[in-house]
């Protein structure tokens, strides 16, 4: 949403689809209220039937406060003239007018009410995460005018948070099954996705969503995003370690690769240091270079992490079953490191590598590949926590709004003082796009499962888990990042 970076006072008014500009006049005469909801309607990820709600508070602060502050602070005539100029260029002669824009400017705030479940909640498919409606009858057009921006701001962090949660539950389960330390899972999935995201904004929001489930990240921009939009006593949010890239290794030269390793170990005499190890020959590094540095490595107060990032991740880490038996490629990184540095058998009967050595793989990791690697490590007798996964844009950017069929739809309007229940129900659809109808409430059943109540009564709405978070230009209920993490963690037992 690059328009937010401009100084134009009408920039936030352009955060919509062009076809929405004249919906104000298209609604039936006498329309005074529009009520819409955001729902994830289906899943394209096998086994995922709940979506973590995340990102709405950031949208409210960033767009409804920060972006619209320029609009309300500007002179009304300037705002109207600029809006007319843009629309005359975009549509030809502006028949839409500017009276409604002037009226909104004089109103001094966005007359909206947003009700939502707490962020961090795993919301079942077809149950709304939040609703939005106007509080002033003059501005019913504003509700779905903002649909585009809200959808764009919320679907991606919610999708990332859901996938990260899936990684977390997978890695927790595998650590428990193989006796790996539970605390290690906090850092077992490390966010490498920044450079592959669609924009700087997407990287910050998606990186924050990853950090709901993990503590390891190289998306440094997410820390500022969290401080700005989820402030509070957030405690320890994220960390990373010194690490090389291929330019560092290449600059040292292939002939002097062993000296580069030695120099790095001297540069970082303690703590974790990660070294990309397949700039040329991964197997030579492990079988020739590391043996010559073994005493220096085990003598450090810390861990050297070997990082390959080329080839099939499962075969590189666990051994290529098509390679000649006994070769480094057939053994794989984890077994080779075990043979060189040793390890211990934990109470569950699985090997944990010597704490001075480890491995991370950060290229093209997916949930399926992470699961396959954990399973193959266990089959070979190794704890899953011997490896760390770098989770990149192949996971967090290879998604769309259709991953969970995320959409905002109107389900109720008021026309001439009378409420009307709305339902979209295309005869040509398979049922996915069939919307809810009426005013909505979300209730928690005896088993803790969230359910949707359609055509909710006033009493059901008052008892709903959809509670006001924003009203008439001000936040009603806010959450710190730590609180969102807590909601997600406490819901784990119900997942």
């Amino acid at each position: 949403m690059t328009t937010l970076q401009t100084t134009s006072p009408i920039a936030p008014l352009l955060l919509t689809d062009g076809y929405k500009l004249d919906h104000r006049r298209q609604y039936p005469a006498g329309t005074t209220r529009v009520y819409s909801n955001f729902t994830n309607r289906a899943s394209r990820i096998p086994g995922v039937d709940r979506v973590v709600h995340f990102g709405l508070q950031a949208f409210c602060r960033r767009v409804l406060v920060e972006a619209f502050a320029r609009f309300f602070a500007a002179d009304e005539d300037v705002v109207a003239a600029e809006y007319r100029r843009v629309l005359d260029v975009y549509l030809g002669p502006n028949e839409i007018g500017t009276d409604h824009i002037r009226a909104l400017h004089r109103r001094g705030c966005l007359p909206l009410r947003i009700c939502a479940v707490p962020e961090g909640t795993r919301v079942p498919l077809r149950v709304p995460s939040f609703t939005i409606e106007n509080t002033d009858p003059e501005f019913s057009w504003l509700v779905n005018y903002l649909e585009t921006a809200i959808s764009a701001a919320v679907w991606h962090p919610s999708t990332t948070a859901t996938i990260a949660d899936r990684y977390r539950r997978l890695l927790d389960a595998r650590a428990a099954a193989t006796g790996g330390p539970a605390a290690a899972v906090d850092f077992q999935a490390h966010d490498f996705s920044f450079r592959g995201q669609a924009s700087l904004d997407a990287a910050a929001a998606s990186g924050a969503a990853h950090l709901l489930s993990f503590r390891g990240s190289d998306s440094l921009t997410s820390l500022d995003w969290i401080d700005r939009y989820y402030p509070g006593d957030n405690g320890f949010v994220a960390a990373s370690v010194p690490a090389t890239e291929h330019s560092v290794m290449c600059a040292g030269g292939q002939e002097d690769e062993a000296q580069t390793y030695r120099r790095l170990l001297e540069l970082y005499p303690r703590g974790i240091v990660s070294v990309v190890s397949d700039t040329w020959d991964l197997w030579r590094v492990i079988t020739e270079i590391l043996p010559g540095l073994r005493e220096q490595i085990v003598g450090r107060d810390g861990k050297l992490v070997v990082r390959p990032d080329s080839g099939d991740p499962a075969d590189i880490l666990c051994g290529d079953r098509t390679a000649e038996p006994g070769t480094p490629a057939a053994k794989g990184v984890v077994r080779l490191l075990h043979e060189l540095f040793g390890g211990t058998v934990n109470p569950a009967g699985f090997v944990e590598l010597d704490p001075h050595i480890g491995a991370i793989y950060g290229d093209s990791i997916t949930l399926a590949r992470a699961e396959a690697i954990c399973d193959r490590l266990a089959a070979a007798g190794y704890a899953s926590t011997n490896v760390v996964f770098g989770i990149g844009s192949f996971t967090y950017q290879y998604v769309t709004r259709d991953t969970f069929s995320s959409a905002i739809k109107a389900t109720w309007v008021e026309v001439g003082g009378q409420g009307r229940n709305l339902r979209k129900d295309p005869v040509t659809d398979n049922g996915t796009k069939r919307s809810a109808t009426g005013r909505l409430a979300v209730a928690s059943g005896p088993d803790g499962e969230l359910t949707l109540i359609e055509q909710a009564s006033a009493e059901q709405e008052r008892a709903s888990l959809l509670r006001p978070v924003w009203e008439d230009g001000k936040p009603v209920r806010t959450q710190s990042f730590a609180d969102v993490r807590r909601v997600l963690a406490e819901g784990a037992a119900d997942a």
Side-chain angles (χ1 to χ4, degrees), residues 3 14-15 57 62 80 234 244 251 264 277 288 306 334 345 350 405 419 460 473:
T3 52
L14 304 182
L15 297 178
Q57 180 171 296
R62 183 165 186 253
N234 288 323
T244 70
L264 290 167
S277 301
E288 296 181 25
V306 175
V334 174
V345 177
F350 293 86
S405 192
Q460 289 171 324

Side-chain angles (χ1 to χ4, degrees), residues 210-268:
H210 169 89
L211 289 170
L212 291 176
S213 292
F214 297 99
R215 301 297 191 271
S217 175
D218 274 310
S219 293
L220 198 58
T221 185
S222 297
L223 301 184
D224 177 65
W225 192 89
I226 290 168
D227 284 344
R228 287 170 65 92
Y229 302 126
Y230 294 84
D233 185 8
N234 288 323
F236 175 47
V237 174
S240 189
V241 301
T244 70
E245 63 181 18
H246 291 292
S247 70
V248 172
M249 307 310 290
C250 287
Q254 185 172 3
E255 297 78 9
D256 294 325
E257 190 173 15
Q259 178 56 33
T260 298
Y261 272 85
R262 183 173 290 107
R263 181 170 56 81
L264 290 167
L265 293 169
E266 292 171 352
L267 181 62
Y268 303 104

Side-chain angles (χ1 to χ4, degrees), residues 78-355:
V78 170
V79 167
E82 180 65 5
Y83 189 78
R84 179 178 296 279
R85 182 191 68 79
V86 170
L87 264 59
D88 281 348
V89 172
Y90 183 64
L91 298 174
N94 177 15
E95 297 179 356
I96 294 172
T98 61
D99 288 349
H100 60 306
I101 302 302
R102 288 180 177 274
L104 179 62
H105 187 274
R106 289 193 294 271
R107 185 66 168 74
C109 72
L110 298 177
L112 300 170
R113 179 186 300 115
I114 301 175
C115 297
V117 300
E119 298 202 23
T121 301
R122 295 183 182 88
V123 184
L125 298 175
R126 307 201 71 81
V127 173
S129 299
F130 63 88
T131 61
I132 177 171
E133 62 183 314
N134 59 300
T135 59
D136 185 325
E138 188 176 357
F139 299 100
S140 58
W141 61 270
L142 189 59
V143 174
N144 271 29
Y145 190 97
L146 291 173
E147 171 199 351
T148 311
I150 302 177
S151 179
V154 173
W155 78 260
H156 190 203
S158 290
T159 299
T160 293
T162 304
I163 296 172
D165 176 51
R166 196 72 177 178
Y167 271 104
R168 180 71 198 215
R169 286 187 282 158
L170 166 68
L171 297 177
D172 277 340
R174 294 303 188 270
T178 59
V185 181
D186 276 348
F187 295 92
Q188 198 178 2
H190 196 93
D191 184 12
F192 280 178
S193 68
F194 191 165
R195 71 192 61 189
Q197 292 287 354
S199 69
L200 298 177
D201 295 334
S206 176
H210 169 89
L211 289 170
L212 291 176
S213 292
F214 297 99
R215 301 297 191 271
S217 175
D218 274 310
S219 293
L220 198 58
T221 185
S222 297
L223 301 184
D224 177 65
W225 192 89
I226 290 168
D227 284 344
R228 287 170 65 92
Y229 302 126
Y230 294 84
D233 185 8
N234 288 323
F236 175 47
V237 174
S240 189
V241 301
T244 70
E245 63 181 18
H246 291 292
S247 70
V248 172
M249 307 310 290
C250 287
Q254 185 172 3
E255 297 78 9
D256 294 325
E257 190 173 15
Q259 178 56 33
T260 298
Y261 272 85
R262 183 173 290 107
R263 181 170 56 81
L264 290 167
L265 293 169
E266 292 171 352
L267 181 62
Y268 303 104
R270 64 187 63 85
I272 299 173
V273 57
S274 176
V275 180
V276 61
S277 301
D278 63 352
T279 299
W280 297 290
D281 188 340
L282 170 67
W283 309 124
R284 176 177 175 270
V285 166
I286 298 177
T287 61
E288 296 181 25
I289 293 178
L290 295 189
L293 300 171
R294 185 183 186 283
E295 295 307 312
Q296 186 177 4
I297 293 169
V298 299
R300 291 179 71 249
D301 180 18
K303 176 185 290 188
L304 170 67
V305 178
V306 175
R307 179 168 73 88
D309 63 1
S310 301
D312 181 277
D315 287 344
I316 298 299
L317 291 171
C318 307
D320 185 348
R321 289 171 287 199
T322 67
E324 183 179 347
T327 61
K331 293 181 178 181
V333 169
V334 174
R335 180 179 170 187
L336 289 172
L337 294 178
H338 180 214
E339 290 178 350
L340 177 57
F341 292 94
T344 58
V345 177
N346 64 32
F350 293 86
V351 173
E352 295 180 32
L353 294 177
D354 181 285

